[in-house]
Amino acid sequence: MGTNRWFVDSETGELADVLLCPPDHYAWIPSNDIAIQSMAAGATIDRTALYAQFDGLVATLHEAGVSCHFLTPHEGMPYEVYTRDSSQTTPFGTVVTRLSRPERQAETGPVHDFYGSEEIWKTCTKGHIEGGDIHIIRPGLLAVGVSGGRTDVAGAAEFISWFEDAGWTCRMIHFPEHFLHLDVIFTMVAENLAIAAVDVLSDADLDWFRAQGIRLLPVSYREAMRDMGCNVLALGRGRVISPRHCTRINQMLRAEGLCVLDPELDQFSQGGGSIHCMTMPLRR
């Protein structure tokens, strides 16, 4: 077991430290449906806006009292900015995941450099699993998304086994591959409260979430895929970071009494990732 410098046992505890990566080599590539649609529509990255939006996210996190840590960006790693996927902080130590896409597999190198061998608890070796599919909902409760694409059954089963050994309740959430990751269609926003594309999740999974005492606020397919509307970051203490362009969702969250911090992030969402993808919580 690692030294446990970093510790996360929920999606909604007060966020103290987070891992990001500057977008120096960020690019949209046609490896997911969202980026494909953006590129087909003739959209292109405005790099001035891209850097401004990343700096705005960092400023928002700092203003919320979160310490930001950074991977070194590397040429040839266009999606290294999405730090959620390449590692996972757990209550037991850091897990290095097993990325599916060939253009992303080298991202585990910088992850090893950042954490060091003492901090890494486990390295995934079976199938594929990415952090955007891993939801440590609260102490004792884990959900892992399985699309067969970014995360498959073998990868999810290996990760889940480590938590089941510790007595946790775990569930695989199955959904179509074009949604990429679970955090495109489901994300916790506060204790026992989530936003979700309820028309996408199966009735059995919806029933399971509700049986765990989790209330689901509905997000449409269009909001989830066009706006990355479910891809938000809970900061704890009733605060959430959500993109400014997700106006209806932000109104819905504020109606629940949450404080919504809303930086601009459309340069990233058009490439198939947003705030949740860009942040790996290191300590809550």
Side-chain angles (χ1 to χ4, degrees):
M1 184 176 291
T3 58
N4 281 318
R5 176 187 179 196
W6 307 125
F7 177 91
V8 167
D9 66 358
S10 79
E11 276 274 315
T12 59
E14 184 173 355
L15 185 61
D17 293 84
V18 70
L19 181 62
L20 304 106
C21 181
D24 294 15
H25 304 291
Y26 179 71
W28 298 342
I29 51 178
S31 62
N32 66 74
D33 281 9
I34 298 165
I36 289 168
Q37 291 173 24
S38 297
M39 296 165 76
T44 57
I45 295 177
D46 178 336
R47 300 208 74 86
T48 300
L50 181 81
Y51 283 107
Q53 290 180 8
F54 183 81
D55 291 345
L57 173 59
V58 172
T60 299
L61 287 161
H62 281 152
E63 289 164 10
V66 181
S67 295
C68 295
H69 307 260
F70 299 92
L71 295 178
T72 300
H74 290 79
E75 192 171 357
M77 299 184 192
Y79 278 176
E80 190 184 5
V81 67
Y82 297 134
T83 57
R84 177 71 58 162
D85 295 326
S86 49
S87 66
Q88 177 65 56
T89 314
T90 79
F92 320 112
T94 296
V95 174
V96 178
T97 59
R98 200 155 190 251
L99 295 158
S100 171
R101 296 288 304 184
E103 67 272 10
R104 299 202 64 185
Q105 289 168 1
E107 292 175 27
T108 55
V111 164
H112 279 277
D113 293 341
F114 173 78
Y115 290 108
S117 59
E118 289 301 310
E119 184 61 33
I120 294 171
W121 174 56
K122 299 277 191 183
T123 297
C124 298
T125 61
K126 297 179 181 177
H128 296 103
I129 183 165
E130 301 185 353
D133 281 314
I134 298 168
H135 276 52
I136 300 174
I137 294 174
R138 62 173 181 256
L141 189 64
L142 171 73
V144 177
V146 177
S147 68
R150 302 307 178 92
T151 296
D152 56 26
V153 170
E158 180 184 43
F159 189 88
I160 282 172
S161 71
W162 302 327
F163 283 74
E164 288 181 335
D165 287 347
W168 285 50
T169 297
C170 306
R171 184 177 179 89
M172 292 187 197
I173 307 294
H174 293 269
F175 56 88
E177 184 176 342
H178 78 274
F179 290 106
L180 308 181
H181 290 130
L182 181 59
D183 63 7
V184 174
I185 56 175
F186 171 89
T187 305
M188 298 296 297
V189 294
E191 187 175 0
N192 298 326
L193 183 65
I195 54 177
V198 293
D199 290 341
V200 173
L201 294 164
S202 73
D203 289 343
D205 289 333
L206 293 172
D207 289 344
W208 181 81
F209 282 123
R210 290 165 180 149
Q212 308 308 317
I214 297 168
R215 187 159 56 92
L216 303 172
L217 302 175
V219 172
S220 71
Y221 174 93
R222 180 184 175 94
E223 289 170 325
M225 288 296 284
R226 181 195 63 186
D227 299 333
M228 295 294 291
C230 285
N231 203 263
V232 305
L233 178 68
L235 298 175
R237 294 197 293 114
R239 300 165 300 155
V240 178
I241 304 181
S242 176
R244 189 166 301 167
H245 62 262
C246 298
T247 52
R248 189 202 68 83
I249 292 170
N250 294 343
Q251 290 171 354
M252 178 173 67
L253 295 174
R254 289 183 175 115
E256 293 288 333
L258 296 172
C259 172
V260 178
L261 311 175
D262 58 349
E264 295 277 6
L265 275 169
D266 66 305
Q267 295 297 308
F268 296 95
S269 62
Q270 291 179 81
S274 192
I275 295 166
H276 197 267
C277 299
M278 296 167 68
T279 51
M280 171 46 65
L282 297 171
R283 188 159 55 96
R284 285 190 184 269

